[in-house]
Amino acid sequence: MKKKLLTLTLLLVLVLSGCVKTKSEVESGGKDDSKGGSNEKVQIEVLGMGSGEEDLNIVRDQLIKNGFDVKLNIQPDYGTFSAQKDAGNFDLALSSWTTVTGNPDYAVRALFKSDGANSMVKDAKVDELIDQASTETADEYTKTYKQLEQQLVTEKAFIAPLYNSFKAQGVNKEVLNPDTVRLAKSRAIPWETIDFKKTEQRATEPLVTQQAIGDLTSLDPIKGNDGSINTLNTNMYVRLVNLTDEDEVVSDGSLSYNYAMAEGNSDYYFLLRDDIHFAAVSKEKAVDTGERVGAEDVVFSLDRAKDMDSVPDHRTYSLHEHIKSAEIVTDLAELEKTTLSGSDQTVLAALENDLDTKLSALVGNKTEADNSKGNYQVVKVTTTEPFPQVLNYLAHQSAGIVSEKQVKSINTYDVASFNIDTDIPYGDQRTVTEGANYNNQLYASGPYILVKKNDYQADFVKNPGYRTGSDFEPKVSNVTVRFIDDADSALSALRNGEIHIFNGVPETKYDLVEKADNLQLQKSDSNAVTYLQFNTAGREVSQSENLRKAVLFSINQDEFLNYYQGNKKKAYSTVSPLVDTGNELVADSDKVKEFLEAYRKE
């Protein structure tokens, strides 16, 4: 009965909050700005979605306990949540962020820098510390990120951290060999390592996995950075480097044998392999085009990645804006005379490490590369300033290598006058969707290529020209990605054998996977952090640090950890899973009273 009453209350709040006020209405009187007397409670409006109902209830109870009057503004989906947020109808918004590149710059730049794509923070000190940390190496930036967190949380209370989540997936261990299924902290799951328990099924049975979103943003890697395409593009396009499951930058499974950071931390060299060809689709089958993935394609791909005007609706430009140039190196002497960062070793020696055949010549044309004879291609990436974290961005799916020839042949439109109704760009999902408009134009440099999709699933086939005969040649010939947006439905499909992997098992469902005889739960740390974002325009919390700090010190993270039965960890900011700064938020009711009193006296 208690649960039903709570549900009815939340539904009533939902109905009352469904009418979206404009930002001007909010700023001019949509909310009672009265601070009240010393005995009056301060009202706080907390915005969130139905999927975060448990967290919203905990936040509400903690604020009420500390003397606030709390209004929950719960929206049914992300669209209505965004509309309320854009209108300014909140003091606090329940937010989350996952650092998919494994580096702390990505965890803060877009969120908290004044010009960040998703930022509600404008603070010169925050900007300065973000930029400073980006120029430092991992053994240098801990102190800087500690100061950044203190400015962001302790000094200004722009956010109130809640917790760091784990990452979990369920695997059908009767069908798949669980040891071949990776669960990385940051990067999307790679399919090429996955194998069936019965290896004879590799060519006859598809690997069946799942994702929530079926409407694909774009299969052009620079035009999307969301849950609809991150996994798909990660497996369709090879990159210069990759991330290990623990976020170390490596060449394994990439286009390069080795990479090297030169003295000064602004020049980065990559020695390319010659055993990867682009795949295309003919009659719904993957074919080897015979076109090698080479340095010319790398330069073309990175040039367009760093140019915000290279395509309409460029969604990943901010990840690559630190790239000044990408060029093909043809002078072997440059590698011999350039030393590694913090070392006397030459770049040449680093690039030749563990090679079967050493470098005898560098070639500018990819058709002339022949690694067995010592003829290689090298690409140099130069950053606008010292920026060691550029390597993490080069491991991101948006840095996937596309075919210069193919993309140029399709993207013949004028970017400034692009018309979505008449111009069909490279990677448009309409070209791979079953029906009258199907005209698959994809060229995949990675282990798999998307053959076709519909409203229910997308079908992939292995690239026949990808690392043939090596350990990185895809094991399974066909992959089917089912579109199942509901977590309970996805879990049911996993338990019934309809899918083989469910990435994203909720914490509250771990036990169902663990108890199933045919399933195995894989769990690891993640870079996902949930926090409360303060409104920085048009509300009392926007103007008063004291009020924000009163909210901040009302948050008791132990209660979240207890609710989730230890399946969450404490966090101080979105940097917490990546850098151990030592900062910790401790709830303090005395500080709440102190800051509320100071707020009332303002």
Side-chain angles (χ1 to χ4, degrees):
M1 178 63 70
K2 184 177 180 181
K3 185 173 182 181
K4 289 183 178 179
L5 289 173
L6 176 60
T7 302
L8 287 172
T9 302
L10 292 176
L11 286 173
L12 179 60
V13 173
L14 174 59
V15 170
L16 292 175
S17 64
C19 181
V20 178
K21 297 188 287 285
T22 66
K23 185 170 286 189
S24 61
E25 288 173 331
V26 172
E27 293 173 352
S28 65
K31 178 180 183 294
D32 182 6
D33 287 333
S34 173
K35 297 175 183 176
S38 58
N39 294 322
E40 279 194 61
K41 294 182 178 181
V42 177
Q43 187 180 88
I44 293 293
E45 183 175 6
V46 186
L47 172 65
M49 291 183 288
S51 58
E53 181 179 322
E54 294 89 349
D55 291 342
L56 292 169
N57 289 336
I58 295 173
V59 169
R60 177 201 57 199
D61 293 346
Q62 291 180 353
L63 290 174
I64 290 175
K65 180 181 177 181
N66 281 278
F68 290 93
D69 179 20
V70 181
K71 174 186 177 182
L72 291 183
N73 181 351
I74 302 179
Q75 296 299 315
D77 53 45
Y78 185 75
T80 54
F81 167 83
S82 296
Q84 289 283 324
K85 189 174 181 182
D86 291 343
N89 295 337
F90 71 101
D91 294 307
L92 294 165
L94 183 63
S95 307
S96 63
W97 182 260
T98 301
T99 302
V100 296
T101 56
N103 63 310
D105 186 75
Y106 183 86
V108 295
R109 182 169 294 275
L111 291 179
F112 308 125
K113 203 161 183 292
S114 295
D115 59 354
N118 304 303
S119 178
M120 296 187 69
V121 174
K122 292 189 182 301
D123 185 89
K125 185 66 174 177
V126 168
D127 292 348
E128 176 189 336
L129 291 168
I130 290 175
D131 284 337
Q132 178 184 332
S134 73
T135 68
E136 299 171 336
T137 57
D139 57 352
E140 299 170 331
Y141 58 45
T142 299
K143 180 180 178 181
T144 307
Y145 282 116
K146 182 182 181 74
Q147 293 174 340
L148 171 62
E149 283 191 329
Q150 290 170 342
Q151 178 70 8
L152 184 70
V153 183
T154 314
E155 297 298 324
K156 295 293 185 179
F158 287 125
I159 65 169
L162 300 184
Y163 55 77
N164 168 213
S165 296
F166 287 100
K167 191 174 185 179
Q169 64 187 11
V171 178
N172 188 322
K173 63 183 180 182
E174 292 183 349
V175 176
L176 301 180
N177 177 355
D179 294 337
T180 67
V181 183
R182 293 173 55 182
L183 181 61
K185 189 176 182 183
S186 293
R187 68 168 291 183
I189 183 172
W191 298 334
E192 69 265 27
T193 65
I194 300 175
D195 204 355
F196 286 110
K197 192 172 182 180
K198 298 178 180 178
T199 57
E200 61 268 24
Q201 294 179 322
R202 291 173 176 175
T204 59
E205 299 295 326
L207 163 68
V208 186
T209 183
Q210 167 271 348
Q211 71 176 35
I213 306 173
D215 186 20
L216 310 182
T217 302
S218 178
L219 299 162
D220 182 340
I222 65 172
K223 293 192 65 178
N225 186 20
D226 58 74
S228 76
I229 49 79
N230 279 339
T231 298
L232 311 189
N233 284 346
T234 292
N235 285 285
M236 277 229 298
Y237 300 100
V238 73
R239 296 159 298 284
L240 283 175
V241 286
N242 273 322
L243 294 179
T244 67
D245 293 351
E246 297 302 322
D247 289 344
E248 296 296 322
V249 179
V250 295
S251 292
D252 295 345
S254 76
L255 184 58
S256 68
Y257 286 106
N258 290 307
Y259 69 90
M261 178 168 63
E263 188 64 44
N265 300 346
S266 288
D267 289 329
Y268 302 80
Y269 294 85
F270 303 87
L271 182 67
L272 306 191
R273 353 179 30 95
D274 67 351
D275 59 353
I276 299 177
H277 289 178
F278 287 105
V281 175
S282 176
K283 297 180 181 179
E284 299 187 3
K285 296 184 181 299
V287 296
D288 183 349
T289 65
E291 180 188 348
R292 180 177 295 161
V293 183
E296 299 93 320
D297 303 299
V298 173
V299 171
F300 172 74
S301 299
L302 297 185
D303 279 346
R304 66 197 298 266
K306 71 183 181 67
D307 179 6
M308 65 185 303
D309 298 320
S310 62
V311 291
D313 197 22
H314 195 324
R315 300 192 182 188
T316 60
Y317 162 73
S318 63
L319 302 187
H320 306 292
E321 61 184 338
H322 283 89
I323 297 177
K324 180 180 180 181
S325 63
E327 58 186 302
I328 302 173
V329 178
T330 56
D331 183 5
L332 196 59
E334 179 177 340
L335 308 184
E336 295 173 325
K337 67 183 181 183
T338 305
T339 57
L340 292 182
S341 177
S343 171
D344 293 331
Q345 185 182 23
T346 67
V347 166
L348 177 62
L351 295 181
E352 286 187 325
N353 186 44
D354 289 334
L355 284 186
D356 292 332
T357 306
K358 304 300 183 184
L359 279 70
S360 60
L362 298 181
V363 298
N365 190 318
K366 64 184 180 182
T367 63
E368 297 174 1
D370 188 340
N371 299 170
S372 66
K373 296 180 179 179
N375 299 328
Y376 292 86
Q377 287 196 298
V378 168
V379 170
K380 178 171 74 171
V381 174
T382 301
T383 54
T384 55
E385 58 189 347
F387 189 56
Q389 294 186 55
V390 72
L391 291 167
N392 292 78
Y393 290 126
L394 292 175
H396 187 250
Q397 65 87 17
S398 61
I401 310 305
V402 297
S403 165
E404 178 181 17
K405 181 181 72 174
Q406 182 70 355
V407 172
K408 281 185 174 180
S409 71
I410 294 170
N411 288 357
T412 57
Y413 54 80
D414 179 67
V415 174
S417 59
F418 177 80
N419 186 329
I420 188 63
D421 295 322
T422 57
D423 295 323
I424 307 295
Y426 176 81
D428 193 307
Q429 70 166 339
R430 288 174 291 183
T431 66
V432 298
T433 302
E434 292 176 341
N437 293 324
Y438 179 86
N439 181 24
N440 196 321
Q441 302 168 335
L442 296 176
Y443 261 46
S445 60
Y448 287 91
I449 187 167
L450 175 57
V451 174
K452 61 180 179 179
K453 74 173 286 285
N454 54 36
D455 292 339
Y456 308 102
Q457 67 185 45
D459 296 325
F460 290 78
V461 177
K462 69 182 285 188
N463 177 354
Y466 187 86
R467 304 290 304 274
T468 306
S470 76
D471 291 339
F472 292 94
E473 179 181 357
K475 304 291 190 298
V476 178
S477 297
N478 299 280
V479 177
T480 295
V481 179
R482 296 269 172 83
F483 303 135
I484 310 174
D485 61 358
D486 178 68
D488 287 337
S489 298
L491 182 55
S492 176
L494 177 70
R495 296 173 72 188
N496 294 333
E498 298 169 26
I499 61 175
H500 303 141
I501 302 172
F502 172 28
N503 186 287
V505 177
E507 294 90 341
T508 54
K509 306 294 184 181
Y510 285 176
D511 60 329
L512 294 179
V513 177
E514 290 173 324
K515 291 176 182 178
D517 292 337
N518 64 328
L519 304 181
Q520 178 174 314
L521 181 72
Q522 297 179 332
K523 188 176 77 170
S524 71
D525 291 338
S526 84
N527 294 332
V529 173
T530 298
Y531 60 98
L532 297 170
Q533 172 73 61
F534 283 96
N535 193 339
T536 56
R539 291 285 181 125
E540 285 295 305
V541 293
S542 312
Q543 307 301 323
S544 175
E545 288 181 17
N546 287 316
L547 180 53
R548 296 198 300 270
K549 288 178 180 178
V551 172
L552 174 68
F553 286 104
S554 298
I555 300 303
N556 186 336
Q557 295 188 354
D558 287 324
E559 293 183 3
F560 287 93
L561 270 59
N562 290 337
Y563 175 81
Y564 286 105
Q565 301 177 330
N567 289 317
K568 301 288 188 186
K569 296 195 295 185
K570 290 185 177 182
Y572 199 76
S573 79
T574 47
V575 168
S576 295
L578 301 145
V579 183
D580 184 8
T581 64
N583 289 325
E584 183 178 352
L585 176 63
V586 178
D588 192 326
S589 58
D590 290 335
K591 286 186 177 180
V592 175
K593 294 176 183 177
E594 174 188 337
F595 286 121
L596 275 178
E597 186 62 27
Y599 161 69
R600 289 189 171 100
K601 292 179 179 179
E602 287 176 353

